[in-house]
Every structure is written in C-alpha cells, then in structure tokens.
Amino acid sequence: MNELTTIGYSYAEDSAAPVIGANATVRSGTIIYDDVVIGDRFSTGHYALVRERTEIGDDVLVGTRTVIDGETTIGSSVSLQTGGYVPSGTAVGDNVFVGPHAVLTNDPYPIRRETELTGPTLEDHVSIGAAATVLPDVTVGTGSFVAAGAVVVDDVPPDTLATGVPAENRSLPESLRTRNDI
C-alpha cells in the first residue's frame, strides 16, 4: 500500500474501519470504504473501488478500475476483471468470473422514474464474458455462461448459455459444462 491507497474511507461519522483478512494485496489508487468486510487473500488491481457495506469472501480479485458500489455481497473465489461495474444491491456467488468491462446494472429506468434499485444475482460458477451487460433484478443461474457482449434482460436458467442482444438462452455446449475453478 502507498500514499495513493485509501483503506477506510469514512463516509459517515459513525462508520467503522474496514476489516480485511490475511495476505491481502491492495494496489495503488485503490479506495476501500469503511463498513467493508473482506476475507483472506484479497487482491486488487490499480484504482479499484469498494464502497460501504460490502461483504467479500476469500480469494477474490478486483481488477484494475473495477467499481463495486455499496451494499453488495460477493462470495469466495471470484474474479472481477479490469473495468467491471458491480452496482449496489448485487449478489455474487462463489467461483464466479466477470470478464473485462462487464457491466451489471441496478436501475431499470435511469433518472426517468423513482424505483427501488435491485442489482442482479450471479449464482455459483457463473461466467460473464467481456463487455457483457446484465440488467437489474436478473438472476444468472448456477453454472451458466454469458457470452461476451451479450445483453441479459431476462433470467438465465442454471447451466445455460446466454448470447446476443438481447440475450437468448441456449443449451450450454458440452465443452462449457464444467464448473469454474478460480
């Protein structure tokens, strides 16, 4: 850690220092807010942001310039690659891969309507390809694979391939019927 890294950004008078497990690597430019709990072997790229009231498991990578907004839960053995966005209200399971510049969203009507913000749910062993977008309140089922560039507007059943714009659910090819090992 160096002078450009902030561990414990105080956003409220009563906020508590973050808790980070053993063997963490937090690279320069990273900001971790108060009221964050992170497990062991956490690692960031440069300029990652982890906002308040976020819980992160063990063995998690948060890539360079990835943003995790507050009130988010991320499981263990998760890889969030460079430039990803994880909004508040998102739940990410274990052994999940989110590719570079993938965007998860939580607002179905940006600035047009008042609505409850609900992020997507990525169940265990999900893979999200580069530059894919997953819309609010969508569940991507266990073992599913979202293709690069796909725009997921509806739930993806377990062990399914979602591809296209808007994404269509297809049978998961045999070559992708394995579990993630992150």
Side-chain angles (χ1 to χ4, degrees), residues 24-121:
T25 301
V26 179
R27 291 187 171 81
S28 66
T30 294
I31 300 171
I32 299 175
Y33 275 53
D34 281 354
D35 296 325
V36 169
V37 177
I38 299 172
D40 295 337
R41 296 170 302 282
F42 175 72
S43 182
T44 72
H46 299 280
Y47 301 99
L49 175 64
V50 181
R51 294 281 309 264
E52 69 277 1
R53 293 186 297 277
T54 293
E55 295 180 17
I56 298 175
D58 296 330
D59 303 301
V60 172
L61 167 68
V62 177
T64 296
R65 298 194 187 282
T66 293
V67 173
I68 301 171
D69 272 342
E71 302 178 22
T72 296
T73 303
I74 296 174
S76 293
S77 300
V78 172
S79 181
L80 304 172
Q81 295 291 298
T82 296
Y85 178 66
V86 180
S88 59
T90 297
V92 176
D94 296 331
N95 295 291
V96 171
F97 176 86
V98 178
H101 301 284
V103 175
L104 310 179
T105 64
N106 67 354
D107 191 345
Y109 310 105
I111 43 178
R112 297 292 173 104
R113 289 191 202 166
E114 286 291 320
T115 185
E116 184 176 338
L117 302 179
T118 305
T121 298

Side-chain angles (χ1 to χ4, degrees), residues 152-167:
V152 181
V153 300
D154 295 311
D155 290 349
V156 179
D159 298 310
T160 299
L161 172 64
T163 183
V165 178

Side-chain angles (χ1 to χ4, degrees), residues 5-32:
T5 300
T6 302
I7 306 294
Y9 180 84
S10 179
Y11 66 95
E13 285 184 27
D14 62 345
S15 64
V19 175
I20 301 175
N23 301 313
T25 301
V26 179
R27 291 187 171 81
S28 66
T30 294
I31 300 171
I32 299 175

